[in-house]
Amino acid sequence: MALELELTSPIDVAKNAVASVQDYVRLSAQSVGNFFRPPIYMGDMLQQADLIGFGSLPIVILTGLSVGALLALNSASTLQRFGGITLIGQLVSLGMVTELGPLITGLMVAGRNASGMASELGSMIVTEQIDAMRALGTDPSKKLITPRVGATAFMLFFLTIIADLLGLVGGWAVAHLLFGLDTNQYWTSAWQILVFRDVFTGLVKPVLFGFIISTVGCYYGMSTTGGTQGVGRSTTQAVVASSVLILIVDFFVTKLIFAVFGVR
Amino acid sequence: MSTPALPGEQQVAATAHSSGYAIEFDNVSIAFDEKVVLDGISFKLPCAETKALFGVAGSGKSVLLKLAMGLIRPDSGRIIMLGEEVTRMTERELFELRGRVGIVFQESALFDSLKVWENVAFRLMENKIAPDEIERRVRESLKFVELEQTYDMFPSELSGGMRRRVAIARAIVSHPEVLLYDSPTGGLDPVTSNTIVELIMKQRDVYKTSALMVTHRLQDAFTMASHEFDKKKNEMVAIPKGQRGEVPMSFLILKDGKVIFDGDAQQLAASRDEYIREYIS
Ligand SMILES: Nc1ncnc2c1ncn2[C@@H]1O[C@H](COP(=O)(O)OP(=O)(O)OP(=O)(O)O)[C@@H](O)[C@H]1O
Ligand SMILES: [Mg+2]
């Protein structure tokens, strides 16, 4: 291909961006709407749940444990200076449940599954399998997208709970083994600090993140153009876009929940 | 050469539509990024007829088939399939209509994560047909294309020609009223091509299916115009010269986005147009 500088007017760029957002919103709305319009592909949903949920388990366990341990380690030195090492359970618990648990699980699954969905659907687009499906009278949005959206939102919820728990275990290991904190004291303070708002925040986020990961992954997959190279491009873009979107949404959800429930 | 019998040999009579046409294109145009591919295409495919579609590479034959299926939409013009106006239907309405039409894509487009039998059964499973009935029909359909032994294989384990035949099995398993074949014999050896031509002829003569067949091999279309499928012998037989006018077979040639020929074999042979003469020589 010749190297040429394409001059695109800013207006065209803006128009394209708006069109893309429109397409994305339509795809997302449809994926949810499909839950109320049969047929619902339960089998495909279970298969995806297995792929996303159990497939992501090792990485979620690993990151959960290490982030919890790191959180404890980092805050311990500061806490020790002020003589508040007993607060370590509360710190790890709050940090994991409201923020880090959902966030790292979301980012990990985004890296793993948004890319997977984009490349799978992208390959199906470039090999005309999506057209073939439509030609056989099956709606790809129902057969391919909705099961992925449902399964990701559902599984991320549980993956996050697992990450939260393992984060607490990691924190306990550091607090107990390195700083000699009493096990009972750690778990009691970790448990007691949590109020409804924290748990609520921590459980709403993964559902949202799961929705973002799957819809963004599917959107980039379905809008793939230009052969194998296009599939690679979609895959990368899906990971970047879903990660960024997760970070942005995380910020606003946290802010919104603070506004609704009041700052602690 | 002979082909085994198709599922139950049930006669699926071509549904007569008020117009008597399976497909109608009326002044259809489409362009991709300013590049005009089809420019005011009009033609009609009578029910139970097979029309062979010619044109050089890139002349828009595949696009034409996808337009008929409603997979892409034209910039202007009307397309009517089985009496319903495809160009005015929503995607959701189209899913139902497409259930009555079978298509074989140029690159087969089999689902590569599904086994051969699941590919063929796809439409039947969607229609919630009983599992043993599905298995029976899938086996019969695969037998029809002589690929029973591939039942449990994945498409990636098959050759290109085998994939093409699985794609044909997938298209015919539900006895569609219209079939669209995109280069069914493209890139295949003469023996396999012949088998496929015979399959298509059987669909035309035994099941009276209306069809559009894109092809690069004029030879195939001429075979289809000069032979018919003999149900008793279960193979194709040549028709005596004098009676060939009765075969429901026609030809359509695309050039620069326009239809430059639309007629039967005799008319084609008699054409004085230089491009056409060169094309058929
Ligand atoms: N999705 C698309 N986007 C852009 N251009 C397209 C698209 N589909 C087809 N075209 C263009 O339309 C023209 C016709 O394509 P088409 O695939 O119909 O050709 P064809 O007649 O089937 O050729 P062949 O005999 O090689 O199969 C080509 O120039 C192609 O570049
Ligand atoms: Mg083509």
Side-chain angles (χ1 to χ4, degrees):
Chain A
M1 212 193 304
L3 251 186
E4 52 183 71
L5 260 182
E6 273 201 45
L7 286 177
T8 346
S9 78
I11 294 177
D12 282 346
V13 173
K15 263 190 198 156
N16 281 341
V18 171
S20 303
V21 171
Q22 243 171 13
D23 286 346
Y24 170 70
V25 171
R26 192 173 311 129
L27 179 145
S28 311
Q30 214 178 4
S31 73
V32 176
N34 286 340
F35 280 109
F36 307 99
R37 277 192 302 264
I40 291 171
Y41 295 92
M42 239 14 221
D44 294 88
M45 189 127 31
L46 288 176
Q47 196 190 352
Q48 288 299 320
D50 181 47
L51 206 76
I52 296 160
F54 293 95
S56 304
L57 210 49
I59 186 101
V60 166
I61 289 175
L62 200 73
T63 45
L65 269 175
S66 44
V67 167
L70 283 171
L71 192 60
L73 200 58
N74 272 306
S75 34
S77 56
T78 318
L79 287 175
Q80 223 167 15
R81 215 175 305 159
F82 299 106
I85 192 75
T86 45
L87 293 176
I88 206 163
Q90 307 185 357
L91 238 156
V92 172
S93 163
L94 263 186
M96 279 314 289
V97 170
T98 59
E99 197 54 68
L100 289 172
L103 190 62
I104 52 153
T105 315
L107 292 177
M108 286 296 143
V109 174
R112 203 176 159 273
N113 293 99
S115 55
M117 289 174 203
S119 66
E120 192 181 349
L121 297 189
S123 312
M124 288 185 80
I125 288 270
V126 301
T127 54
E128 290 186 320
Q129 291 178 54
I130 301 278
D131 276 346
M133 187 173 281
R134 292 168 63 206
L136 287 167
T138 298
D139 188 348
S141 151
K142 286 184 184 163
K143 173 90 179 162
L144 299 172
I145 300 181
T146 299
R148 283 169 172 73
V149 172
T152 316
F154 186 76
M155 290 318 275
L156 206 59
F157 180 86
F158 292 103
L159 286 173
T160 300
I161 293 177
I162 292 171
D164 289 347
L165 289 176
L166 284 162
L168 281 167
V169 171
W172 163 81
V174 168
H176 183 67
L177 302 176
L178 296 186
F179 297 90
L181 199 71
D182 177 54
T183 300
N184 206 12
Q185 190 177 20
Y186 174 86
W187 287 105
T188 317
S189 70
W191 178 246
Q192 279 176 346
I193 185 74
L194 294 176
V195 295
F196 171 75
R197 187 198 71 175
D198 305 323
V199 179
F200 180 75
T201 315
L203 294 183
V204 164
K205 282 178 179 177
V207 175
L208 282 175
F209 295 169
F211 179 76
I212 291 172
I213 291 165
S214 48
T215 49
V216 170
C218 290
Y219 168 74
Y220 277 103
M222 295 299 269
S223 51
T224 301
T225 51
T228 332
Q229 215 179 11
V231 176
R233 199 166 40 230
S234 300
T235 308
T236 326
Q237 281 172 336
V239 177
V240 174
S242 54
S243 307
V244 170
L245 209 56
I246 283 177
L247 289 168
I248 295 173
V249 168
D250 190 12
F251 179 83
F252 285 106
V253 168
T254 309
K255 203 110 175 79
L256 184 75
I257 290 180
F258 278 173
V260 173
F261 289 88
V263 184
R264 190 186 272 276
Chain B
M1 196 184 307
S2 70
T3 53
L6 191 79
E9 289 288 337
Q10 62 213 89
Q11 195 90 15
V12 183
T15 326
H17 298 281
S18 46
S19 62
Y21 294 108
I23 300 177
E24 293 172 60
F25 271 57
D26 180 15
N27 209 11
V28 174
S29 301
I30 188 170
F32 290 102
D33 313 317
E34 334 255 296
K35 181 177 177 288
V36 179
V37 173
L38 297 179
D39 184 11
I41 298 280
S42 299
F43 72 88
K44 290 178 177 174
L45 173 74
C47 285
E49 181 173 300
T50 294
K51 197 185 269 298
L53 225 61
F54 297 99
V56 293
S59 53
K61 306 180 295 294
S62 300
V63 167
L64 193 150
L65 293 194
K66 285 183 191 164
L67 282 168
M69 210 50 168
L71 296 173
I72 45 180
R73 292 186 185 268
D75 299 332
S76 64
R78 293 191 321 149
I79 298 167
I80 297 164
M81 161 94 79
L82 295 169
E84 299 196 55
E85 194 171 338
V86 172
T87 31
R88 285 171 61 164
M89 293 164 83
T90 62
E91 179 81 5
R92 204 171 307 161
E93 291 166 335
L94 278 170
F95 285 125
E96 215 149 296
L97 178 61
R98 288 179 191 140
R100 299 160 64 193
V101 184
I103 183 167
V104 178
F105 285 87
Q106 192 162 7
E107 309 292 345
S108 302
L110 299 177
F111 302 119
D112 49 20
S113 57
L114 300 182
K115 289 184 173 172
V116 165
W117 79 267
E118 289 170 310
N119 265 282
V120 178
F122 194 88
R123 185 176 274 174
L124 304 177
M125 291 200 281
E126 289 296 290
N127 294 342
K128 300 268 179 303
I129 291 174
D132 41 348
E133 167 77 1
I134 290 183
E135 175 163 356
R136 191 179 65 78
R137 285 173 67 172
V138 169
R139 284 200 188 278
E140 270 162 340
S141 226
L142 282 173
K143 197 163 153 195
F144 185 75
V145 296
E146 298 172 3
L147 282 177
E148 293 156 286
Q149 74 281 9
T150 63
Y151 191 85
D152 263 322
M153 289 161 91
F154 280 99
S156 55
E157 302 170 68
L158 305 181
S159 76
M162 291 161 100
R163 260 177 251 167
R164 198 73 58 75
R165 284 187 282 159
V166 172
I168 293 177
R170 178 172 75 176
I172 61 173
V173 73
S174 59
H175 304 299
E177 294 161 54
V178 179
L179 274 163
L180 310 172
Y181 305 96
D182 198 343
S183 318
T185 58
L188 299 181
D189 61 279
V191 178
T192 314
S193 296
N194 239 0
T195 315
I196 290 178
V197 168
E198 204 175 27
L199 292 177
I200 294 172
M201 202 182 298
K202 188 170 184 181
Q203 283 292 322
R204 180 192 69 187
D205 297 341
V206 179
Y207 304 100
K208 311 286 181 218
T209 314
S210 324
L212 283 180
M213 176 177 85
V214 170
T215 174
H216 292 108
R217 289 171 30 118
L218 212 58
Q219 169 75 44
D220 293 343
F222 278 129
T223 309
M224 292 206 48
S226 60
H227 291 65
E228 67 180 352
F229 194 87
D230 188 322
K231 214 179 149 189
K232 288 200 199 77
K233 286 191 199 153
N234 203 22
E235 65 181 13
M236 61 182 184
V237 293
I239 309 171
K241 265 237 148 78
Q243 301 164 16
R244 289 189 183 167
E246 290 148 38
V247 182
M249 183 73 202
S250 61
F251 297 74
L252 187 144
I253 305 180
L254 288 176
K255 187 194 174 204
D256 299 332
K258 305 237 189 246
V259 174
I260 59 163
F261 178 86
D262 184 8
D264 63 24
Q266 273 102 343
Q267 288 167 315
L268 185 62
S271 172
R272 308 222 156 274
D273 186 295
E274 247 175 63
Y275 181 82
I276 297 175
R277 294 237 60 88
E278 195 182 333
Y279 203 104
I280 62 177
S281 61

